[in-house]
Amino acid sequence: QFQEQVKNEFYQQVGVTLTVKGDLSNIFRWIHSAQSPSDFRVVPYLKITPDKDDAAKVVCAVQFWRWYQPTAT
């Protein structure tokens, strides 16, 4: 689900919330590879719950934000 875009004079923020299911270590590797403060990509929200159908897996809701320089108007 896409987040509502945020704009002000300093930055433009876009974001997405994803729900993923899998092995916890694989999910953490994926999140770590996507997060990049130097590229202004952050994870401000992460919720982890056990999978009801498979005790070896988890369900994660993760939100990614990306900040951009505002466009000139």
Side-chain angles (χ1 to χ4, degrees), residues 24-71:
L24 183 61
S25 61
N26 289 338
I27 291 173
F28 276 174
R29 272 199 255 358
W30 172 70
I31 291 171
H32 183 266
S33 70
Q35 181 171 307
S36 175
S38 63
D39 291 330
F40 300 100
R41 288 192 307 258
V42 297
V43 177
Y45 177 82
L46 175 64
K47 180 179 178 182
I48 303 169
T49 55
D51 183 16
K52 295 176 186 173
D53 300 325
D54 186 349
K57 299 200 183 301
V58 294
V59 177
C60 296
V62 60
Q63 190 174 86
F64 291 97
W65 287 352
R66 174 92 192 253
W67 294 306
Y68 296 93
Q69 182 176 359
T71 56

